[in-house]
Amino acid sequence: MAEILLSLVVVIPLAASVILFLSAGRLSGFLIGAIACGAISLSAIFSAILAGLLHSQLSPSLHVFFWEWMRTADFSTGIGFTLDPLSLVMILIVTWVGLLIHLYATRYMAGDPGLARFFGCMTLFVASMLLLVLSSDLLCMFIGWEGVGLCSYLLIGFWYTEPANLAAARKAFIITRVGDAAMLCGLLLLATEASSLQVDTLLQTVTAAKISQSALTFSTLLILVGTLAKSAQLPFQSWLPDAMAGPTPTSALIHAATMVTAGIYLIARLHVLFTATPLVLTIMAVVGTLTLFLAACNALVQSDLKRILAWSTVSQLGYMFLALGTGLWQVALFHLMTHAFFKALLFLCAGAIITRVHHEQDIFRMGGLFRTMPGIALAFLAGATSLAGFPLLTAGFYSKELILSSVWNASFFLAPDLILSGHVFWVVALAGAFLTSLYISRCFLLVFMGKAKTHESGQTPLLMAIPLGCLSFLALFGGMMEMPDALAHVHLFTEMVDPAHALPSADEPLWLLLVGGGIPVLGALLAWIFWGQRNPVLHETSDEPAPPQTSQPVPILAACLLPLFRIPSWLGRYDFPARLSKGVSILINGMNTFALQFRACIFMNVSHQTLMTLRQGNLLMAYTQNGRVRWYAAWIAGGLCASLALAGLT
């Protein structure tokens, strides 16, 4: 029975997508929504049943082999599924969070002429993600990996009549394809060394040290590049904010349950490979740390509601990569789960807000919406506090605190005699937590508090309100299954996903917990001083049409100092010495000018050198690929003669 249910979990959403694509819009909107939601509901129910079956049986995993795909003298691969605690957690997140998003989308997308195409892509998205997390062979997993990339392209460019949407879809597709090519090279290198891409066989080969250290390091580095591109980490982060061109349910699905979490899952699945290459773990931690801080700085200076949430996703994924860099994949998976709850909630709240304010997305043109939509405001507040990690009350606090404590006690390998302390990473991660609280509190205050700047109309339909209520509960209480020992000895999540290897117990000092819990509160208080008072310190308005935002990186220094730009007026309001105010203003303006000039110099030089290199390469290609068959024959003959000469010499 378990084998049948395991296959149906993937087959049912796949079959629903085929039906919806073949219907070509001939079905009614109600029937389209019923087919999509019914398929995801069955997958979610079967996932819950499989959880009970896996818990009741003695074996910690369930393997189902369907058929052999290919076989050579030194290599074989097949189609099969593996259900263990890791894949079980992922399919529960994908199906249940995906179900809530599908329910929301049936009402949000009602009346759209491309409804069948939309739900066909959404159900195919879920099926591809389920195939990815359940596959027992990395080559089969790569099919699901490419499937989520294809679906993201189709959904980001869903409203294809707008050129900006098509550009965003192409950008996401091209950037992730670069990572996919690197990851495929890494998989082929592993196949050459281990003669198999079966996950269990591969991990056993690595454990037995049958793969050379150089080949293992190079292959894991290539796989890491693929995961960085898929999860929008530096230097591939720019595609994810632009992906907001798609419908809001698409954004919620990409950011919460599919696509960007695929890279986190793959590293967790192959954690034995990465543990055997400590230098790659250090690179992973460094990239994650830089990403979480830079993305938080970018979120602080955005005015588009969905782009703020998009940059926050990039930042939270950076936390997950930092946790993976410590070698504790269970910690990253726990934050992945809580992030799915509060990020899906925030995006769905954003969709409800945008719909009721006539598709306005500029937060400076909103304001005062708490009085007209208190339910949406409370749901958004639940997601915002969980994202910020408010202590004791939210799921985000427990997962982020687990990451901070893990980083504090970690050490990172650079060279045989050079070990980097985790304290440096902890400081940057704590600064990122402060910025997270600052920008999401700013967003809440500007949208829901203060004076009303737009006209709100309509009511939030029940099918949109039910998912918001469920996700609000999960965003607040979904993290209490894993708590710091200073609060309670509760480790249900880590014991569930990896019962054989519990997290190492560390004597976490109480001050570490207090600092981690106090920083989000401090950020919220500072946001209230800047934007929440009746006469706020920072008066930011948007009377003129906002220019289109691009995903060009914001200077870190300028972004961090943005709240300080108007401190001189604040000091003057409270009768501080005028000379001090003027001095601070000159200092900040000078530092900001220096940062902008430095950035312009660097980027201009890099872009100029890149352009010149591409031009020279283009001239070379034009010279060699000129369409003349005689030239091609001459090159072939010359290459053959050179090869024969080299063979004769050796």
Side-chain angles (χ1 to χ4, degrees):
M1 178 183 178
E3 293 81 356
I4 297 175
L5 292 178
L6 193 58
S7 60
L8 289 177
V9 167
V10 179
V11 169
I12 290 177
L14 181 61
S17 68
V18 173
I19 293 172
L20 292 173
F21 281 133
L22 294 179
S23 69
R26 289 186 289 268
L27 301 177
S28 65
F30 174 80
L31 191 56
I32 292 171
I35 292 174
C37 292
I40 306 301
S41 299
L42 288 175
S43 288
I45 293 170
F46 292 159
S47 300
I49 296 174
L50 286 170
L53 293 175
L54 188 65
H55 179 72
S56 62
Q57 70 176 18
L58 298 177
S59 175
S61 61
L62 172 67
H63 302 275
V64 180
F65 185 78
F66 296 106
W67 66 82
E68 188 175 65
W69 188 359
M70 64 181 72
R71 174 179 289 276
T72 64
D74 300 323
F75 177 75
S76 66
T77 184
I79 305 296
F81 290 165
T82 295
L83 182 69
D84 58 5
L86 174 57
S87 58
L88 177 62
V89 169
M90 289 300 299
I91 65 172
L92 289 173
I93 294 173
V94 171
T95 54
W96 285 100
V97 175
L99 173 60
L100 294 174
I101 295 172
H102 275 70
L103 286 173
Y104 178 97
T106 55
R107 191 64 181 85
Y108 184 88
M109 298 295 294
D112 193 285
L115 191 62
R117 177 167 53 90
F118 173 79
F119 276 111
C121 294
M122 291 281 281
T123 50
L124 182 60
F125 211 152
V126 173
S128 299
M129 189 66 186
L130 291 172
L131 176 64
L132 190 155
V133 300
L134 287 174
S135 296
S136 59
D137 188 281
L138 291 180
L139 199 56
C140 181
M141 183 185 296
F142 191 72
I143 299 175
W145 186 274
E146 291 298 298
V148 295
L150 172 64
C151 293
S152 67
Y153 168 78
L154 296 174
L155 287 168
I156 294 170
F158 177 73
W159 289 314
Y160 55 84
T161 55
E162 295 291 335
N165 297 351
L166 292 179
R170 286 195 301 268
K171 184 176 184 179
F173 191 79
I174 293 171
I175 291 178
T176 54
R177 289 297 75 72
V178 172
D180 294 351
M183 193 180 79
L184 183 59
C185 293
L187 295 182
L188 294 177
L189 180 58
L190 285 176
T192 303
E193 294 290 326
S195 300
S196 176
L197 285 178
Q198 287 285 334
V199 174
D200 292 341
T201 304
L202 185 61
L203 298 185
Q204 291 172 5
T205 305
V206 173
T207 304
K210 296 181 179 179
I211 302 179
S212 64
Q213 187 63 32
S214 58
L216 186 61
T217 301
F218 192 52
S219 60
T220 52
L221 191 59
L222 289 171
I223 293 174
L224 176 61
V225 172
T227 60
L228 293 177
K230 190 70 74 175
S231 297
Q233 299 294 284
L234 285 174
F236 308 102
Q237 80 285 357
S238 63
W239 72 264
L240 191 57
D242 290 347
M244 298 302 97
T248 299
T250 296
S251 303
L253 194 62
I254 291 176
H255 289 250
T258 60
M259 186 65 174
V260 296
T261 60
I264 309 297
Y265 167 78
L266 182 59
I267 296 177
R269 171 60 70 192
L270 302 178
H271 65 275
V272 174
L273 276 69
F274 289 91
T275 304
T277 53
L279 181 59
V280 178
L281 285 180
T282 303
I283 295 173
M284 190 187 309
V286 171
V287 172
T289 304
L290 293 176
T291 303
L292 72 89
F293 187 76
L294 175 63
C297 293
N298 276 278
L300 187 60
V301 296
Q302 300 295 320
S303 61
D304 186 288
L305 179 57
K306 290 179 65 176
R307 291 182 69 89
I308 294 173
L309 300 180
W311 279 113
S312 76
T313 298
V314 178
S315 181
Q316 297 307 303
L317 289 168
Y319 277 101
M320 298 177 207
F321 272 92
L322 175 58
L324 290 171
T326 65
L328 301 177
W329 59 270
Q330 307 95 324
V331 176
L333 196 67
F334 182 49
H335 193 58
L336 184 152
M337 182 190 72
T338 59
H339 175 263
F341 298 153
F342 61 72
K343 189 49 60 69
L345 173 62
L346 288 172
F347 268 109
L348 297 187
C349 286
I353 295 168
I354 293 169
T355 301
R356 293 180 61 177
V357 296
H358 313 291
H359 300 282
E360 178 60 68
Q361 296 186 199
D362 192 337
I363 59 175
F364 295 112
R365 297 180 181 176
M366 299 181 188
L369 296 182
F370 195 98
R371 294 182 291 272
T372 56
M373 49 178 79
I376 300 297
L378 292 176
F380 193 93
L381 181 62
T385 53
S386 187
L387 170 62
F390 267 60
L392 304 179
L393 303 175
T394 62
F397 164 74
Y398 297 104
S399 59
K400 195 170 291 185
E401 178 58 34
L402 190 57
I403 292 176
L404 292 175
S405 62
S406 301
V407 173
W408 176 265
N409 296 292
S411 57
F412 299 91
F413 174 87
L414 291 176
D417 298 326
L418 183 59
I419 304 297
L420 185 62
S421 173
H423 297 0
V424 177
F425 295 86
W426 179 84
V427 170
V428 180
L430 197 66
F434 171 77
L435 292 174
T436 301
S437 179
L438 185 63
Y439 70 69
I440 198 62
S441 300
R442 162 184 175 263
C443 181
F444 178 83
L445 292 171
L446 291 175
V447 171
F448 293 103
M449 309 305 289
K451 298 179 181 179
K453 301 175 185 177
T454 186
H455 296 289
E456 177 270 343
S457 63
Q459 296 291 329
T460 302
L462 185 62
L463 278 178
M464 294 172 63
I466 291 176
L468 296 181
C470 296
L471 290 170
S472 297
F473 178 83
L474 293 173
L476 292 176
F477 305 108
M480 291 186 176
M481 61 178 67
E482 189 75 26
M483 295 187 178
D485 289 335
L487 297 178
H489 190 70
V490 178
H491 303 290
L492 299 178
F493 181 84
T494 53
E495 291 174 358
M496 177 182 69
V497 297
D498 194 15
H501 303 88
L503 289 178
S505 59
D507 297 328
E508 180 183 0
L510 182 60
W511 69 266
L512 199 66
L513 181 64
L514 294 177
V515 170
I519 283 296
V521 178
L522 180 62
L525 290 176
L526 188 61
W528 173 261
I529 293 174
F530 284 151
W531 297 286
Q533 300 181 94
R534 178 170 298 180
N535 295 315
V537 173
L538 298 183
H539 300 279
E540 300 188 56
T541 59
S542 185
D543 297 327
E544 298 296 328
Q549 298 189 28
T550 65
S551 56
Q552 294 294 329
V554 176
I556 294 179
L557 182 61
C560 296
L561 295 177
L562 178 69
L564 304 179
F565 285 168
R566 300 190 182 182
I567 279 185
S569 62
W570 181 46
L571 294 174
R573 183 180 303 164
Y574 292 96
D575 297 326
F576 283 95
R579 291 184 178 179
L580 178 62
S581 175
K582 183 178 180 180
V584 171
S585 177
I586 294 173
L587 176 63
I588 292 174
N589 288 332
M591 295 176 69
N592 183 47
T593 302
F594 172 77
L596 292 175
Q597 291 177 350
F598 179 77
R599 171 200 171 198
C601 179
I602 293 295
F603 280 109
M604 286 178 63
N605 287 333
V606 171
S607 62
H608 177 71
Q609 293 299 325
T610 303
L611 180 60
M612 295 303 297
T613 303
L614 291 175
R615 283 180 177 176
Q616 295 299 325
N618 181 55
L619 291 175
L620 178 62
M621 292 295 294
Y623 181 74
T624 57
Q625 304 295 326
N626 52 18
R628 298 178 181 178
V629 179
R630 293 180 181 178
W631 279 85
Y632 296 163
W635 282 111
I636 294 173
L640 180 60
C641 293
S643 300
L644 292 174
L646 290 174
L649 291 175
T650 57

